[in-house]
Amino acid sequence: MPSESSDRHHAAAAGRGPVPVAVVTVSDTRTSDTDSNAPFLRERIAAAGQVLAGYRLTPDEPDQVRAALLDLAAREARVIVVNGGTGISPRDTTFDVLERMLERTLPGFGELFRMLSWEQVGAAAMLSRATAGTFRGRVVFSTPGSPAAVRLAWEKLIEPELAHLAWEVAR
């Protein structure tokens, strides 16, 4: 149950207008035609009354992931949702790149994501390195690239607090 303070913060955030949200898909195999997460997120961003502020599809190469984040953070995006590259295989470098770039981390996001993910995938939830934090006045979320993981993160964690987070980081 939200607190009175939380309710005030949500109300203040809602009065600031639509939040510009950027999406980054990190994948060595997906193309813009086969990236099912981008259309889902575009639809949900619009349905939430927010605006899409950019989209990047990049291979899981540290320099390219870093460049995508730098580019989007230099634009109007207040929130950046990165999907893919959070596993433990040698090619999964997104977490490592973001860990070095994030200025303040939001450990609760990864903790809650893994807790909720447990209900869907069981013990395999521990393989996720989902994370979140701030970078240059933006909130950055990093989720696994599976459509179920993106849906879970968006519906249960990101969307409910989106405007509040964008407001908090800009205060």
Side-chain angles (χ1 to χ4, degrees):
M1 178 164 221
S3 69
E4 186 177 317
S5 173
S6 180
D7 287 344
R8 279 195 314 272
H9 286 188
H10 281 99
R16 293 185 66 145
V19 175
V21 181
V23 174
V24 179
T25 296
V26 178
S27 176
D28 291 332
T29 58
R30 292 186 182 154
T31 67
S32 57
D33 291 333
T34 62
D35 178 11
S36 62
N37 291 330
F40 167 77
L41 288 168
R42 280 186 186 108
E43 178 184 306
R44 294 308 302 255
I45 289 165
Q50 314 308 342
V51 295
L52 182 68
Y55 167 70
R56 300 288 182 281
L57 174 63
T58 183
D60 202 341
E61 293 292 339
D63 290 345
Q64 292 184 43
V65 172
R66 184 176 192 284
L69 184 59
L70 286 168
D71 179 52
L72 292 168
R75 297 175 186 267
E76 69 174 330
R78 304 297 309 151
V79 173
I80 302 169
V81 180
V82 180
N83 68 92
T86 63
I88 60 169
S89 79
R91 288 292 304 151
D92 291 323
T93 64
T94 301
F95 173 84
D96 306 297
V97 170
L98 294 179
E99 181 181 48
R100 291 187 295 273
M101 294 179 76
L102 294 177
E103 296 153 353
R104 291 187 173 183
T105 60
L106 297 169
F109 174 77
E111 294 162 359
L112 287 169
F113 176 81
R114 284 180 285 280
M115 180 193 76
L116 293 168
S117 186
W118 165 265
E119 297 169 4
Q120 293 182 350
V121 298
M126 78 173 104
L127 300 175
S128 166
R129 297 189 296 161
T131 192
T134 63
F135 178 70
R136 297 188 178 173
R138 277 78 177 141
V139 180
V140 179
F141 293 98
S142 179
T143 74
S146 79
V150 171
R151 178 178 296 278
L152 173 71
W154 179 264
E155 291 176 350
K156 299 291 186 181
L157 300 172
I158 300 171
E159 183 180 2
E161 291 297 321
L162 184 69
H164 183 200
L165 282 159
W167 177 73
E168 283 287 346
V169 78
R171 294 200 301 162

